[in-house]
Amino acid sequence: MPSTDPSHQGAQWPARRFGWSDMFAAPEDDPRSEGGFRGERATLLGYLRDQRLTLEMKCSDLDADGLARRAVEPSNLSLLGLLRHMAKVEHIWFRLRLAGQDLPRLYSGGDDRDEDFNGARPDPEVVAEAWNAWRAEVAFAERFMAEEPDLDMVGTSGHTLREVLVHMIEEYARHNGHADLLRERVDGRVGQ
């Protein structure tokens, strides 16, 4: 049942839902770890994996309209925009800056610096393309990290693999906070 938020002059928002039954996954089915990593590399890779899974969970079970909804006015952020943005970020850091691949940037073809967010339209094809792009970039990054044992490896941009991993954890954690708010505004779902 929608609730009226007094700070938005009568705007209707989904009722806030939280409880163990409303969580994205039952604790025993949650694919994320509970920590316990041993060593620097395992810790960095484990936390990055968990942050990626969190974004995936926050975007789960929504149709194109829900994913593309800009639910926190006046921001242009949407869950779909965050997914596209993180595909772009993965692409920039792992393919371009570490591996030195000479490729055009994702979602950066024109004059719109925010194409990743502004191009997030409620279209099933846009949604499918975003999921495909994000999964392809994550897969590339995972292969890259598996093949590069040295955290002090320096990419073509001068950044070390260690620095990029810390930055990626930071980037996902920041945007997962946005995803929490967006998801709650879309359908009232909170938690995890």
Side-chain angles (χ1 to χ4, degrees):
M1 170 179 287
S3 64
T4 300
D5 181 341
S7 67
H8 287 88
Q9 294 87 34
Q12 295 294 307
W13 299 106
R16 187 169 200 257
R17 298 182 303 156
F18 180 77
W20 294 115
S21 63
D22 293 330
M23 294 182 78
F24 282 87
E28 63 273 10
D29 296 328
D30 192 332
R32 297 169 299 176
S33 70
E34 291 188 22
F37 305 114
R38 299 285 183 252
E40 181 184 19
R41 183 181 183 86
T43 300
L44 293 171
L45 296 179
Y47 274 94
L48 179 54
R49 178 185 173 275
D50 286 349
Q51 290 295 325
R52 287 171 171 155
L53 287 169
T54 298
L55 179 62
E56 189 171 14
M57 291 170 72
K58 289 293 179 177
C59 294
S60 68
D61 302 323
L62 289 173
D63 62 12
D65 289 334
L67 282 169
R69 188 168 305 138
R70 287 166 174 85
V72 185
E73 294 178 356
S75 174
N76 67 343
L77 293 181
S78 66
L79 290 166
L80 180 57
L82 290 176
L83 184 64
R84 289 164 50 101
H85 177 69
M86 291 313 300
K88 177 180 173 179
V89 170
E90 295 266 3
H91 177 84
I92 290 169
W93 283 103
F94 288 101
R95 286 192 195 267
L96 306 182
R97 293 188 178 165
L98 284 178
Q101 294 183 354
D102 185 19
L103 299 169
R105 290 186 177 198
L106 292 178
Y107 311 118
S108 298
D111 295 333
D112 186 359
R113 290 180 41 112
D114 285 336
E115 173 59 24
D116 38 356
F117 295 109
N118 294 332
R121 296 183 316 277
D123 177 335
E125 289 182 19
V126 173
V127 171
E129 185 280 329
W131 279 116
N132 289 337
W134 181 74
R135 287 184 175 120
E137 295 308 320
V138 168
F140 176 85
E142 288 175 343
R143 282 191 309 275
F144 183 88
M145 292 180 294
E147 294 169 4
E148 180 51 65
D150 187 1
L151 292 175
D152 290 321
M153 171 269 180
V154 178
T156 57
S157 66
H159 297 90
T160 65
L161 177 56
R162 175 185 290 105
E163 180 183 10
V164 170
L165 291 173
V166 170
H167 174 69
M168 292 301 296
I169 294 165
E170 170 192 50
E171 185 87 11
Y172 272 99
R174 177 176 184 251
H175 290 307
N176 283 337
H178 298 140
D180 284 338
L181 294 173
L182 290 164
R183 184 62 189 250
E184 186 172 348
R185 285 290 198 170
V186 169
D187 67 359
R189 201 161 176 194
V190 298
Q192 291 178 277

